[in-house]
Amino acid sequence: MHNYEIAEYFSLLSKLMEIHGENPFKIKSYSNAAFTLDKLNDPVIDMEPHQLFSIRGIGDAIGQKVLEIIDYKRLSLLDSYIEKTPTGVFEFLKIKGLGPKKIVTIWKELEIESIGELLYACEENRLVKYKGFGAKTQQNIQDALVFYLQHQGRYLFQQVVPLVENLKIALAEKINGPDLFSISGGYKRQLEIIDHLEIVTTFSEKELTNWLTEKSFQCTKNEKYLSCIGTDKFEIRWYFTDISDFYWTDFTLSGSPEFLEKWESDPLFSKKIPFISEKNIFDQINSPFIPAPLRELPAIIDLAKNNKLPKLIQPEDIKGIIHSHSTWSDGVHTIEQMALAAIEKGYEYLMISDHSKSAFYAGGLSIDSVKAQHREIDMLNKKLAPFVIFKSIESDILNDGSLDYPEEILACFDIVIASIHSNLKMTEEKAMMRLLNAVNNPYTSILGHPTGRLLLSRKGYPVNHEALIDACADNNVVLELNAHPRRLDMDWRFIHLALQQDVLISINPDAHAIEGYDDCKYGVLVAQKAGLSAAQNLSSFNLAEMMEFVEFQQSKRN
Ligand SMILES: [Zn+2]
Ligand SMILES: [Zn+2]
């Protein structure tokens, strides 16, 4: 259990207590505890009780509650508040822009207790009559509600991984003998958002249905599959087949409709024979095996038949960490800790790119801090050689598209990553003005998270990808594929356009702690969908190649 998970209990508790009008001092102490736990470097689960109780802002009473959470994965005080809160009101907490104060007004004064009612009230312009709700706030709440309703029951790929792993273990135990199963559909295709899982199996339908019902799944049968919804509202669709149809069913579920249409129109294709393996399906139309993540666009079938399938990048092709934060801005670990972890994981270099001065909310670096940080990096480079820490910065792209420091400061970085973090609500015209100005700036080497999107929670600002990629090609600027599972930005659907123009992509973890390095693999999984190879990815450069790249980027500045 991570500290932030424990912190979440207290954060939710303080919000619910505020909704129920409890003592402000108590509320404050729980919200402070949440903050303290979240910021704490050492894992609480490894602590002795007396150590835990002696932390400022925790103490005996809250410490006992922390132990309760660790031992029982629940907090009885929180449960009691959840119990007396209507489900809909509880759900309001998930809506962006709705804090406890506004929720109290909505619940107690407007007497609204569900998301649907609240949306209706916004459409009816009812909120504006209440204190704290202007027309703009109401519009924002309405947009957030629409967004929320659209995305219910949808999960990030990364959120589904543990569920799938557990399911695989449980099924492997359950299915002994010749029975088969395959996790197919969008998961097999490595899509960034998963609406539901599709599983093909030769296992007895009756037995599996009983097993799932025992595990509290709600199962309903339709024409094609058995739909089972768990307590987390996530849907699993089970397709029961016999062995003669198993591989074909798995194949049809793992390809996009356009891909399948093209497949079935192949003159050599016939579904008459039962396939004996996945490869067997490809043999029939004389095609090399196409990995599932590439089964999106029909054109990939011709590429395969002409033996032109790309050699897909693999997680072990990442040679260095680019775009990482440290305690100098909003990171959890020091540069040295980040570097040692990178060495231990076998990376050859680390590019530290903390936030720049305008990002005050994220502890952006003043000019003096930049200089001090560079002295620390010089010292660490002596100590940790041959490992190299590069001096980088994630410079805010300001409102007019300029970078965040004067030229003489920008000149002292090995690499500048330029990203937009503020005023995200803008027209395409405005967004493109800022982006193109940044890309045209000779100090910019990498464009960070190009659209600013947060999957399932925030749409990115509108971007003309063609124009952006043209500008990157003209200026030798690399496009980031931010590997954070909630970003995966730029979207893989545009990467082929960049590759056509030899624009490099860089799979970067944007790590705010050591654990963030592991996100690289989610970047790799979606990059595979775009047909990216290691040679086209900057973070696959080895140290010598990276030194050369830095030198080349510096030559742009003269
Ligand atoms: Zn950023
Ligand atoms: Zn960042």
Side-chain angles (χ1 to χ4, degrees):
M1 207 173 198
H2 291 281
N3 289 352
Y4 70 85
E5 291 173 271
I6 301 168
E8 215 121 280
Y9 283 83
F10 290 102
S11 161
L12 184 57
L13 177 62
S14 68
K15 287 177 189 157
L16 285 176
M17 287 177 71
E18 199 176 338
I19 290 173
H20 287 275
E22 301 292 1
N23 178 333
F25 292 105
K26 276 196 175 163
I27 296 169
K28 190 93 190 124
S29 74
Y30 291 126
S31 69
N32 282 345
F35 184 81
T36 305
L37 287 163
D38 197 42
K39 291 282 163 226
L40 211 60
N41 283 334
D42 303 323
V44 167
I45 45 163
D46 298 339
M47 287 183 191
E48 294 292 327
H50 73 270
Q51 274 176 294
L52 172 64
F53 298 167
S54 67
I55 297 171
R56 247 192 98 188
I58 300 291
D60 284 14
I62 292 179
Q64 292 292 354
K65 292 190 166 61
V66 171
L67 295 179
E68 185 190 342
I69 294 167
I70 294 172
D71 289 344
Y72 303 104
K73 304 256 180 309
R74 60 187 286 259
L75 178 60
S76 44
L77 182 61
L78 175 62
D79 288 347
S80 71
Y81 279 100
I82 292 176
E83 219 163 274
K84 59 183 172 187
T85 312
T87 327
V89 175
F90 187 67
E91 231 179 343
F92 292 161
L93 284 168
K94 295 179 192 154
I95 304 297
K96 219 176 123 212
L98 283 187
K101 277 194 190 63
K102 288 199 170 65
I103 293 177
V104 172
T105 309
I106 292 167
W107 181 23
K108 299 288 178 182
E109 293 186 40
L110 280 96
E111 297 180 359
I112 289 174
E113 293 193 353
S114 80
I115 298 269
E117 276 177 284
L118 182 58
L119 181 58
Y120 188 69
C122 290
E123 284 162 357
E124 297 271 286
N125 201 28
R126 279 177 46 209
L127 267 56
V128 290
K129 300 183 190 82
Y130 293 84
K131 204 176 151 239
F133 294 88
K136 206 166 166 213
T137 310
Q138 177 176 271
Q139 186 60 48
N140 288 343
I141 293 173
Q142 185 173 343
D143 293 346
L145 288 168
V146 170
F147 197 87
Y148 176 80
L149 288 171
Q150 276 171 355
H151 293 94
Q152 258 183 323
R154 308 185 71 197
Y155 287 78
L156 300 177
F157 182 90
Q158 166 239 20
Q159 293 172 321
V160 180
V161 171
L163 186 132
V164 169
E165 291 309 314
N166 288 336
L167 202 60
K168 276 186 188 166
I169 295 168
L171 278 174
E173 274 170 16
K174 176 132 197 74
I175 297 183
N176 42 30
D179 276 312
L180 298 169
F181 70 91
S182 169
I183 317 283
S184 194
Y187 189 85
K188 182 160 171 162
R189 213 149 75 238
Q190 297 166 198
L191 277 170
E192 65 276 32
I193 292 170
I194 305 293
D195 297 312
H196 54 261
L197 273 189
E198 293 176 301
I199 305 182
V200 191
T201 181
T202 60
F203 200 69
S204 143
E205 178 167 354
K206 194 164 161 252
E207 251 182 82
L208 200 78
T209 311
N210 289 341
W211 181 67
L212 289 164
T213 318
E214 266 169 41
K215 290 186 178 294
S216 320
F217 280 91
Q218 296 235 345
C219 300
T220 35
K221 177 79 183 154
N222 71 29
E223 218 182 297
K224 287 188 176 152
Y225 54 83
L226 179 74
S227 163
C228 298
I229 297 177
T231 45
D232 50 7
K233 294 270 186 326
F234 188 64
E235 184 191 8
I236 305 178
R237 296 179 181 173
W238 298 85
Y239 293 79
F240 297 95
T241 70
D242 54 34
I243 183 77
S244 66
D245 219 25
F246 176 79
Y247 293 103
W248 178 249
T249 308
D250 187 15
F251 180 76
T252 55
L253 291 171
S254 73
S256 74
E258 307 88 280
F259 173 90
L260 287 170
E261 196 184 324
K262 161 107 175 153
W263 192 274
E264 292 182 9
S265 69
D266 192 288
L268 296 173
F269 170 77
S270 139
K271 227 215 98 185
K272 280 197 201 92
I273 51 156
F275 297 104
I276 53 163
S277 69
E278 205 176 7
K279 188 180 166 296
N280 192 215
I281 298 173
F282 289 85
D283 292 342
Q284 187 187 55
I285 70 158
N286 287 335
S287 166
F289 181 81
I290 300 172
L294 288 175
R295 298 175 198 165
E296 294 281 354
L297 294 176
I300 199 75
I301 299 171
D302 291 330
L303 275 187
K305 283 195 166 193
N306 293 321
N307 278 316
K308 284 192 179 144
L309 279 182
K311 187 171 184 295
L312 298 185
I313 187 168
Q314 300 299 323
E316 56 275 17
D317 290 325
I318 305 293
K319 296 290 179 233
I321 294 293
I322 303 177
H323 194 165
S324 174
H325 297 266
S326 74
T327 44
W328 282 88
S329 67
D330 59 350
V332 172
H333 295 111
T334 63
I335 299 182
E336 182 164 18
Q337 288 171 323
M338 296 301 278
L340 290 172
I343 293 169
E344 198 192 302
K345 287 174 188 280
Y347 295 115
E348 297 177 25
Y349 53 89
L350 165 65
M351 208 169 266
I352 283 288
S353 23
D354 273 309
H355 287 285
S356 63
K357 68 176 172 24
S358 291
F360 53 88
Y361 50 87
L365 270 61
S366 67
I367 289 176
D368 285 344
S369 299
V370 168
K371 290 178 180 165
Q373 186 188 57
H374 287 184
R375 285 193 292 275
E376 182 179 319
I377 293 178
D378 288 336
M379 188 268 292
L380 286 169
N381 272 333
K382 279 190 197 123
K383 189 169 158 188
L384 302 174
F387 185 82
V388 173
I389 304 167
F390 288 98
K391 295 166 185 162
S392 177
I393 191 83
E394 182 175 21
S395 167
D396 264 32
I397 297 175
L398 305 180
N399 251 331
D400 60 357
S402 56
L403 298 180
D404 205 5
Y405 295 104
E407 281 198 19
E408 68 269 22
I409 300 302
L410 290 171
C412 66
F413 296 110
D414 293 319
I415 288 288
V416 173
I417 301 176
S419 309
I420 294 183
H421 291 116
S422 56
N423 299 323
L424 301 172
K425 276 191 182 167
M426 51 186 167
T427 60
E428 182 176 311
E429 199 188 359
K430 168 93 192 198
M432 289 307 290
M433 181 275 287
R434 290 172 80 183
L435 290 170
L436 294 180
N437 271 349
V439 169
N440 290 328
N441 189 314
Y443 288 95
T444 300
S445 296
I446 301 175
L447 182 67
H449 42 75
T451 75
R453 76 174 183 189
L454 294 177
L455 291 168
L456 299 182
S457 28
R458 181 175 84 203
K459 252 163 89 179
Y461 39 79
V463 169
N464 175 342
H465 283 85
E466 286 82 2
L468 180 63
I469 288 165
D470 285 346
C472 288
D474 290 345
N475 293 285
N476 288 301
V477 167
V478 176
L479 279 164
E480 176 173 86
L481 195 184
N482 191 296
H484 191 286
R486 197 170 281 284
R487 288 192 184 267
L488 299 173
D489 180 15
M490 82 187 299
D491 192 298
W492 61 269
R493 291 163 188 85
F494 295 100
I495 288 180
H496 72 279
L497 297 175
L499 300 183
Q500 279 164 12
Q501 300 214 51
D502 292 328
V503 170
L504 277 172
I505 301 296
S506 192
I507 299 176
N508 302 341
D510 198 354
H512 285 73
I514 289 163
E515 298 80 54
Y517 290 171
D518 296 339
D519 287 343
C520 286
K521 71 168 177 287
Y522 299 111
V524 170
L525 291 180
V526 287
Q528 290 181 339
K529 297 188 66 53
L532 190 78
S533 67
Q536 296 161 319
N537 172 49
L538 181 65
S539 57
S540 295
F541 282 23
N542 65 29
L543 179 58
E545 290 165 331
M546 183 52 73
M547 299 260 200
E548 237 172 81
F549 175 82
V550 169
E551 209 167 294
F552 168 70
Q553 287 292 321
Q554 308 245 328
S555 73
K556 280 186 1 188
R557 302 173 180 178
N558 304 317

